[in-house]
Amino acid sequence: MNKIEQIFDDYRMIAIIIYAEYEKEGIEFLTPDNFSQQLAYMKRPAGYTIQAHIHKPVPRNVKYTQETLFIKKGRVKINFYNEEKQYLSSRTLKTGDVILLVSGGHDFLMLEDTEMIEVKQGPYAGEEDKERF
């Protein structure tokens, strides 16, 4: 199994998965610079320092919501769909896996009692935020 997987339809990236087993020294950015949600993996040794910093206000234009899910506990099956709402494929994620949902559609089936942490752009727009199918 690949420890990092990118899922595509015919035209675009649908998702990036970092499986729990992935490990690499240093820092690795996994998304292109133009994504509105950036995903990176970092592994640093004890005593390593990241210099104190603040993030300056930089205007950004976000057109699509991208969301990152951290599987804290359990197992979940994710089905992926293209922009035309056609099924593409599915993956099962487990404790420790991380996924960035980039484009297209998705649904979830909890295979076990599951806890996930979700990070996405805000503010949440309620039902205006999603088209269910």
Side-chain angles (χ1 to χ4, degrees):
M1 172 199 299
N2 292 332
K3 295 180 182 179
I4 293 181
E5 182 177 12
Q6 297 179 337
I7 299 169
F8 289 86
D9 68 6
D10 293 335
Y11 306 103
R12 65 190 66 79
M13 184 183 294
I14 299 295
I16 300 171
I17 301 170
I18 306 173
Y19 292 101
E21 298 80 17
Y22 183 73
E23 188 174 325
K24 181 179 180 180
E25 295 295 328
I27 184 169
E28 180 178 7
F29 280 89
L30 304 170
T31 49
D33 291 341
N34 65 335
F35 275 28
S36 62
Q37 183 103 184
Q38 296 293 304
L39 183 63
Y41 172 87
M42 284 187 249
K43 180 180 179 187
R44 303 294 192 192
Y48 184 91
T49 300
I50 296 174
Q51 184 177 358
H53 62 282
I54 61 170
H55 294 268
K56 300 186 278 185
V58 176
R60 293 177 170 94
N61 181 13
V62 176
K63 186 173 179 182
Y64 295 103
T65 301
Q66 296 178 338
E67 54 191 332
T68 301
L69 298 174
F70 301 85
I71 313 305
K72 183 177 175 188
K73 179 182 176 185
R75 286 186 27 215
V76 58
K77 179 181 177 183
I78 304 176
N79 294 313
F80 302 102
Y81 302 85
N82 64 19
E83 297 289 331
E84 291 74 39
K85 304 172 192 155
Q86 298 166 323
Y87 173 81
L88 295 170
S89 64
S90 62
R91 300 294 185 278
T92 297
L93 303 186
K94 64 186 179 329
T95 300
D97 292 342
V98 177
I99 185 168
L100 171 61
L101 297 162
V102 176
S103 65
H106 44 267
D107 63 30
F108 307 94
L109 172 63
M110 305 308 152
L111 301 174
E112 298 176 356
D113 291 346
T114 301
E115 297 177 36
M116 298 186 289
I117 297 170
E118 177 183 74
V119 178
K120 64 183 175 185
Q121 297 94 344
Y124 179 59
E127 286 304 311
E128 294 296 315
D129 202 51
K130 298 177 183 177
E131 177 184 344
R132 299 178 194 275
F133 60 97

